[in-house]
Structure formats: C-alpha cells, structure tokens
Amino acid sequence: MEEALSAPPAAEMSMDAGPPPAGYDADFLGVDVPLPSPTAPRSTALLGYPRFSVMQDLDRRLAVVTGVNIDGATLLDIARSGSWRLERRIERDQQAGPDVYERNDLDRGHLVRRRDPGWGERDEARAATVATFVYTNAAPQVAGFNQSKDLWLGLEDHVLEYAEIQDLRLSVFTAPVLAAADPPYRGIHIPLRFWKVAAWVDPDAGVTATGFVLDQSELVAPVVAARAVPPLGAFRTFQVALAEIEELAAVDLGPLVAADILSAPGARDTPDWIPLRTPADIRLG
C-alpha cells in the first residue's frame, strides 16, 4: 500500500481507450481460484485492469475485493511512476477521490501493490504498475502506517521467498473491511481494518493459502477529530484463519478456506489470530 508520484507519459494512461483489460485471471495458478465475492447484498462494479481486478462497492465508494496475479519468475524492477486518477467507468461519487485525502493525515494506500502486476514484457509490466494508481485501488490509511509499511507490504514477498523457487505464481486478494461501525469522514466511512489473502500451488499439497489482517483502529479516531496522530505502536498486523476473514469481511473465499495453512491437520492448536511483529512470526508450514 503506497503513496505517489510523478506523472507518466500520456501514452501510458490508456485505460479509457479500447476494450478494458481482462483483469484478474482465476486460472492463473493452474487451478480454479475465483475472485472472492461479497456474502452480503452490495451494489458493486467489477473493474478490470492489467493483471488485476477491483470490485468496487458503489455505496461505500471503496473496494470490497481486489485480486491480482503475480508471476515471480518474470517480476521486474520497474521505476516508480504514476499519477492518481479517478476511474472514468463509474461515477465520481461512487469512488473516494482526492478530496478525501486533502489537508489531513490520511494517505492513499494502494490495495493491489504497485509492483505486483509488474511482470512479463517490460512495456506491459510498466503499464500494469501505472494502472494501480487509480482511486478504486486506494483506501485511506493513517499516514504513519503508510510510511512504516514494511511488514504489511512485504507479506507477498515473504510468501515468494518461503517457496524458494523463482517461478512461483501467487494470486493475492486485498481489501478494506467495510464494516458498519467505520467512522464517517468527508462523505465516506474510513475502514478500521484491512485483509489480505495469498494463494499459491504447493507441489506436494496443492492449492495453499494464508491470510492477514491489519488493524488501524486506534489511529483513525484522532484523524477524524483532526488531532495529531499518536505513536506508531497502534498499528497491528495479524495472521488470521481464512474462516475468520470470511466472517470479518463478509466475503466468500471459496476453495481457499479449505486450503488454509492455519486449518491444516498439523495446525489444530494454532490460534485463529497470530500477532505479527516481523516476517519470522508468519506461519507458512
């Protein structure tokens, strides 16, 4: 989840010309892993971008689900470029735009990370990273969190490293928890929590998945009240059982719940919420 930026050449901003990109590929891992879907009635729009999709909640003006495909074998180091822009395929009042982030301690937090779709041919990879700078792929996060994001943003990288193979493919899903108790602010409700699920194929175990929750609850209230941001210690990240994430976020994770590392036979005594302080705390086997 990242903040921005220098403006790219106009030729890179081609999302409004021609057919929309295909977006998230459910067969990317070689087995069917569908994009999660809300379990509660919501007014949504499914938007495709290069190698990722956003399911936008049109009433909450934020994503309820995002999904991205990551090819670790061809992931490139693309120079940072991009300029935050509104999504033209939906109405302005159906997305949280720049006015939400002005003159306060909120940052535009990437949901699909800038680097995640940046793989394959360099031109395609660069266009995919630029495409992540769209307001439908952003959610408000307290500035202190976004500037101290090593653990949360490094979760996908840690899973890639754990596999110890260069050609690992991941499908990663991330979104805010759109809860009724989220505090109102400038026409939206600021999410207090975010969830992330990573899925891959283990050569021995088949489809494997694990999930995480980030909690910024203790830092949101001061922002809404226009007071100073308290110390960073209030940010908390957890590894969480996927059944818990389904209930918390009101999303259907489909076959991934049964593939959850924390529900494996050898993990029966594992708590449903594991506090994380460093990547070494993550349980992946």
Side-chain angles (χ1 to χ4, degrees):
M1 300 183 182
E2 308 169 64
E3 183 76 6
L5 328 142
S6 61
E12 292 181 350
M13 304 302 292
S14 58
M15 291 294 298
D16 302 311
Y24 170 80
D25 179 2
D27 297 320
F28 183 72
L29 301 183
V31 294
D32 184 33
V33 179
L35 189 74
S37 59
T39 56
R42 292 183 180 273
S43 176
T44 62
L46 182 60
L47 304 166
Y49 302 92
R51 299 169 180 155
F52 70 97
S53 292
V54 173
M55 184 176 293
Q56 182 80 349
D57 185 309
L58 302 178
D59 296 323
R60 284 293 302 263
R61 303 172 61 192
L62 296 168
V64 65
V65 171
T66 70
V68 62
N69 304 122
I70 308 170
D71 185 353
T74 63
L75 198 62
L76 301 177
D77 186 11
I78 302 294
R80 186 183 182 87
S81 64
S83 181
W84 285 103
R85 62 189 179 83
L86 291 164
E87 170 56 70
R88 295 188 181 181
R89 290 173 288 179
I90 60 175
E91 299 297 326
R92 185 185 181 99
D93 63 1
Q94 294 174 331
Q95 53 196 304
D99 52 312
V100 171
Y101 303 94
E102 294 175 349
R103 302 179 304 279
N104 55 31
D105 289 310
L106 293 176
D107 282 341
R108 304 166 182 86
H110 271 80
L111 297 172
V112 173
R113 298 189 307 173
R114 177 189 65 86
R115 71 184 301 263
D116 283 352
W119 49 268
E121 296 295 328
R122 183 162 291 273
D123 287 347
E124 294 180 358
R126 189 161 186 249
T129 64
V130 169
T132 64
F133 288 100
V134 63
Y135 278 104
T136 50
N137 187 43
Q141 293 162 356
V142 179
F145 158 69
N146 211 28
Q147 295 160 9
S148 301
K149 56 189 179 291
D150 291 348
L151 178 59
W152 180 251
L153 282 180
L155 293 174
E156 292 101 310
D157 295 333
H158 187 73
V159 174
L160 283 164
E161 292 166 4
Y162 167 79
E164 295 182 347
I165 53 175
Q166 294 300 313
D167 61 349
L168 177 71
R169 289 185 162 201
L170 291 179
S171 289
V172 177
F173 313 99
T174 309
V177 175
L178 302 182
D182 292 339
Y185 182 73
R186 294 187 180 179
I188 68 164
H189 288 75
I190 299 180
L192 301 181
R193 289 172 167 174
F194 295 82
W195 61 272
K196 183 186 298 288
V197 171
W200 66 99
V201 173
D202 183 284
D204 299 320
V207 178
T208 307
T210 193
F212 307 91
V213 170
L214 180 134
D215 191 321
Q216 65 171 1
S217 302
E218 294 180 27
L219 297 186
V220 168
V223 173
V224 172
R227 297 196 297 269
V229 176
L232 186 61
F235 293 114
R236 297 177 295 170
T237 302
F238 303 85
Q239 186 173 9
V240 178
L242 297 193
E244 293 276 318
I245 292 178
E246 276 197 323
E247 182 176 356
L248 177 71
V251 294
D252 182 357
L253 297 174
L256 297 183
V257 175
D260 185 5
I261 284 174
L262 296 188
S263 67
R268 292 177 187 266
D269 297 327
T270 301
D272 289 337
W273 289 64
I274 303 171
L276 303 179
R277 295 172 182 84
T278 70
D281 295 330
I282 300 172
R283 305 189 188 189
L284 293 176

